Amino acid sequence: MKEELKEVVLSLQNELKDCTKEADILNVKSKYLGKKSTLNSYLASLKDMTVEEKKVNGPLLNQIKKEIEKLVEDRLEEIVNQEIISFDETLPVDYEMGSLHPITIVSKEITDIMRRMGFTIVSGPEMESDYYNFEALNVPKDHPARDMQDTYYLDNGMVLRTQTSDNQIHAMENYGAPLRICAPGRVFRNEDLDANHENTFFQIEGMVIDKEISIENLLYVMQNILKEVMKQEVNLRLRPGYFPFTEPSYEIDMECLICGGVGCPTCKNSGYIEMVGSGMIHPNVLKSGGIDPEKYTGFAFGIGLTRLAMMKYKISDVRILNSGDLRYLKQFEIN
Ligand code: DAH
C-alpha cells in the first residue's frame, strides 16, 4: 500500500504542475481526494482490517491525505497569485456608460430652479416617526385623513414616510422663520400596483414662511417651476382641495402634455393631470414647528415628482421607473 500511495503522490505532483487555472486544480483535487479516489478506497477499507493493520495503515493514510491536501493548497495559492499578477489593467474593458434616471434628472432640474429662487435644499429620513409624518402636520391618530395615505407601519413603531411633508416640521424646528425650503425624496404607500400606481414614488416638497405671504406667491412659484422643467408654457388649473396641513388647500392640475388637453388615457380623458397639492400652511402646523402664526404665514406644496417625470418623458407606465430595466432607462439624456 505504501508504494502505491507514493505513486499516487507522484502522479498528483505531475498533474498539479500542468494546472494553469483555479478550475484545473479543483478537478485534480476531486480526483485525488474525492469519493472515487484511490486514497478514499483505502480509507474505506480500513474498517475491514485487523487491529494491527489499522495501527500501521491508519496513521499512514492520514499522513498521505494531509500531504495531498497541502500539495493542492500550495499549488492553488501559486496559481491564484499568478492570475492576480498577470491581470493586465491596460487591456480595454467592455463597459457601458450609465445614464441618469429620469427621476434624478427632473429632481435635479427642480432643485436647481428652486435654489435660484432662494430655496434651501433639505432632506429627511425615509423611516419616519408617526409624529413628523402625521401628528405634527395636524393629522392626529384617529383622523379620517389618514385613510388618504395607506401607510406601511413598521414593527419598531415608525412608518415609511407617506409624504415629503415631514420635512416641513424638521425644517421649522431646525431653522425657524423666515424660511424657504425644498425637499425632494422618496415616499411609500401601500398601493395596488398598476400603470398609474406604485408603492414607492417621489415627491418634492416646497415651503415658504415669511411675513405677508399669500396664495399669489404660491401660484407664481408653481408656474415658474413647471414652465422651466417642461421647457414650454404650461397651463395650470387651481381647484379647491383638502389637506389637513393647509387651510385653504388647493390641487394644482397641469394641462395634459400628452394629448394637449383634449383627453387621453393618461389624463383619464379629463385633459388635466393632478400634479401638486398645496395651500396656505395651517396655523397648527406652524405651531408644531415652533413658529408664531400671528407673526408669520406661509405656503407649502408637494409636487408629484414621479408623475412629472412621466409627463416630461411621456412614460405611460409608472412601473418602468422602478424596474431597473436598462433597455428603457438608458435612453434618457445625461444632464
Ligand atoms: N403631502 C401631500 C400628499 O402627499 C401633498 C401636499 C399637499 C403637500 C399640500 C403640501 C401641501 O405641502 O401643502 O398628498
Side-chain angles (χ1 to χ4, degrees), residues 192-239:
D192 288 333
L193 307 195
D194 63 27
N196 287 310
H197 297 90
E198 250 293 1
N199 53 24
T200 305
F201 53 101
F202 289 80
Q203 297 183 330
I204 289 196
E205 193 80 9
M207 179 170 75
V208 171
I209 298 174
D210 213 325
K211 301 215 160 123
E212 295 170 21
I213 292 292
S214 79
I215 200 71
E216 293 275 340
N217 303 120
L218 165 66
L219 271 179
Y220 176 82
V221 167
M222 252 15 282
Q223 185 83 36
N224 276 292
I225 292 175
L226 292 175
K227 185 172 84 178
E228 245 191 90
V229 173
M230 303 316 278
K231 300 201 166 57
Q232 59 180 283
E233 284 300 330
V234 292
N235 293 323
L236 299 185
R237 178 174 80 174
L238 199 65
R239 278 186 297 124

Side-chain angles (χ1 to χ4, degrees), residues 149 163 165 168 189 203 205 243 245-246 277-279 300-302:
Q149 302 187 356
Q163 49 188 348
S165 304
Q168 293 189 18
R189 291 187 200 170
Q203 297 183 330
E205 193 80 9
F243 299 102
F245 26 91
T246 41
S278 65
F301 58 86

Side-chain angles (χ1 to χ4, degrees), residues 63-175:
Q63 180 216 325
I64 296 288
K65 186 174 178 212
K66 282 202 181 117
E67 198 175 328
I68 294 181
E69 282 170 347
K70 179 146 182 13
L71 285 168
V72 170
E73 253 169 55
D74 287 353
R75 180 70 184 133
L76 183 64
E77 203 180 307
E78 251 176 52
I79 288 202
V80 170
N81 283 340
Q82 260 173 23
E83 276 181 359
I84 293 172
I85 291 164
S86 65
F87 173 74
D88 183 352
E89 74 244 47
T90 63
L91 287 175
V93 184
D94 188 18
Y95 65 88
E96 245 178 84
M97 278 295 280
S99 61
L100 292 181
H101 192 282
I103 298 275
T104 309
I105 297 173
V106 180
S107 172
K108 193 171 169 308
E109 282 178 356
I110 297 189
T111 47
D112 281 352
I113 297 164
M114 291 181 71
R115 193 181 278 121
R116 275 188 271 123
M117 289 174 157
F119 287 76
T120 302
I121 319 299
V122 297
S123 70
E126 291 177 351
M127 184 173 73
E128 186 56 285
S129 69
D130 189 275
Y131 174 76
Y132 284 103
N133 196 82
F134 290 123
E135 286 203 34
L137 288 162
N138 205 27
V139 191
K141 285 249 155 29
D142 51 359
H143 198 290
R146 289 209 178 199
D147 290 349
M148 288 158 48
Q149 302 187 356
D150 229 337
T151 310
Y152 290 116
Y153 290 92
L154 304 179
D155 287 344
N156 63 2
M158 308 281 274
V159 297
L160 288 185
R161 71 167 172 209
T162 56
Q163 49 188 348
T164 44
S165 304
D166 61 330
N167 288 291
Q168 293 189 18
I169 310 295
H170 288 299
M172 284 188 273
E173 284 179 351
N174 290 340
Y175 308 114

Side-chain angles (χ1 to χ4, degrees), residues 10 64 248 294:
L10 271 180
I64 296 288
E294 299 295 328

